[in-house]
Amino acid sequence: HKDKEHVHIHVMISSNEMMGQKRVRLSKKDFSNIQKELEQYVSAAYPQLGNTKHYQKEKSLEKSKNKEQLQELLKELFERSNSKDSFKNHMATVGIEFYTRGSTVGVIFKGKKYRLKTLGLLADYEKMVVKLEQKQQEKTESKEKNNQTFNQEKDESKKSDSKVNSNEESTKIKSRREEMRKLREQQEHKAQSKEKK
């Protein structure tokens, strides 16, 4: 049809086999190939329509470089991160932002979204998550152990102080008894001296 600025051609493909009832399943890859082949045919057979390359666009070199750069950055990020905080700090430094949509995990880099699965890095990411969770668990356990040790030492210190205080009291009591005994002996000695006189 020619009601637009340039000629439009639409191709309709039936989902059934030719002259049959059976449906044909077409994968995205197969459909993409059909689009590319049809575009090539139209360009070759009807050059007067203009040589368009809508379906045969080559991936831009810039996009490819960005993807490679991102893959390297993420690999290094996953290996070097020792905590969730260090992971977030590294991400901010290199300009990567994570996102999740349902079970899909991806990143935004230079304004474009990339799925980790598509980048071939989902396994590396999951490995890092497990590593960070283990480190967090170890840190928590270590903190709890330190608290227990501190509390035990505190209890032992209290017991020791209590024992020292108890020993000091016992020593004071013995000392007073001894003083009292000596005082009685002195009084008895004075009393005997008076009787003799």
Side-chain angles (χ1 to χ4, degrees):
H1 59 92
K2 300 179 181 179
D3 57 330
K4 305 286 182 186
E5 289 178 19
H6 53 277
V7 177
H8 278 236
I9 299 172
H10 297 268
V11 178
M12 295 176 69
I13 302 175
S14 172
S15 60
N16 290 355
E17 285 183 343
M18 193 170 174
M19 308 297 285
Q21 301 284 325
K22 188 177 176 188
R23 283 184 174 264
V24 176
R25 188 193 170 280
L26 214 56
S27 69
K28 283 185 179 180
K29 187 177 179 182
D30 290 337
F31 187 67
S32 176
N33 287 336
I34 289 171
Q35 289 173 315
K36 288 175 185 175
E37 288 169 15
L38 183 61
E39 189 174 69
Q40 279 178 335
Y41 169 76
V42 169
S43 293
Y46 305 98
Q48 68 272 23
L49 294 175
N51 192 4
T52 58
K53 284 195 171 184
H54 181 73
Y55 296 109
Q56 300 198 40
K57 287 179 183 172
E58 296 296 324
K59 287 185 178 176
S60 72
L61 194 60
E62 181 69 26
K63 188 177 177 183
S64 181
K65 281 182 180 177
N66 282 349
K67 189 176 174 182
E68 287 173 15
Q69 183 186 8
L70 177 61
Q71 284 171 318
E72 287 175 23
L73 284 170
L74 286 171
K75 279 181 185 176
E76 186 180 349
L77 183 66
F78 296 155
E79 287 171 14
R80 290 180 61 192
S81 296
N82 292 320
S83 69
K84 288 181 181 179
D85 288 337
S86 73
F87 178 64
K88 286 176 185 174
N89 290 338
H90 283 122
M91 274 196 325
T93 305
V94 294
I96 297 173
E97 185 183 332
F98 265 76
Y99 74 89
T100 53
R101 196 176 74 215
S103 60
T104 303
V105 181
V107 293
I108 301 169
F109 181 64
K110 294 187 177 180
K112 186 165 181 2
K113 287 185 176 183
Y114 298 86
R115 291 181 178 187
L116 290 185
K117 191 173 183 179
T118 307
L119 292 170
L121 295 172
L122 186 59
D124 296 77
Y125 171 74
E126 288 170 345
K127 189 177 174 183
M128 181 205 66
V129 169
V130 169
K131 177 181 82 171
L132 295 185
E133 285 174 354
Q134 284 175 343
K135 285 190 179 277
Q136 184 63 41
Q137 182 69 27
E138 287 168 9
K139 193 175 177 181
T140 303
E141 286 172 1
S142 175
K143 194 174 180 181
E144 286 173 0
K145 193 175 180 181
N146 287 341
N147 285 342
Q148 284 177 347
T149 304
F150 175 75
N151 289 336
Q152 284 175 345
E153 287 174 356
K154 196 174 174 183
D155 288 345
E156 285 173 12
S157 177
K158 280 182 182 178
K159 285 177 186 175
S160 177
D161 288 348
S162 175
K163 206 172 185 180
V164 167
N165 288 342
S166 177
N167 286 342
E168 285 176 0
E169 281 296 316
S170 179
T171 305
K172 282 180 184 177
I173 291 169
K174 284 180 183 175
S175 177
R176 284 185 193 146
R177 284 183 182 160
E178 186 62 29
E179 286 173 12
M180 293 297 287
R181 188 185 62 74
K182 286 180 180 176
L183 190 62
R184 265 189 254 116
E185 282 179 0
Q186 285 175 358
Q187 286 174 350
E188 284 175 11
H189 186 67
K190 280 182 183 177
Q192 286 175 358
S193 293
K194 280 184 182 177
E195 282 177 14
K196 285 182 182 176
K197 289 183 180 180

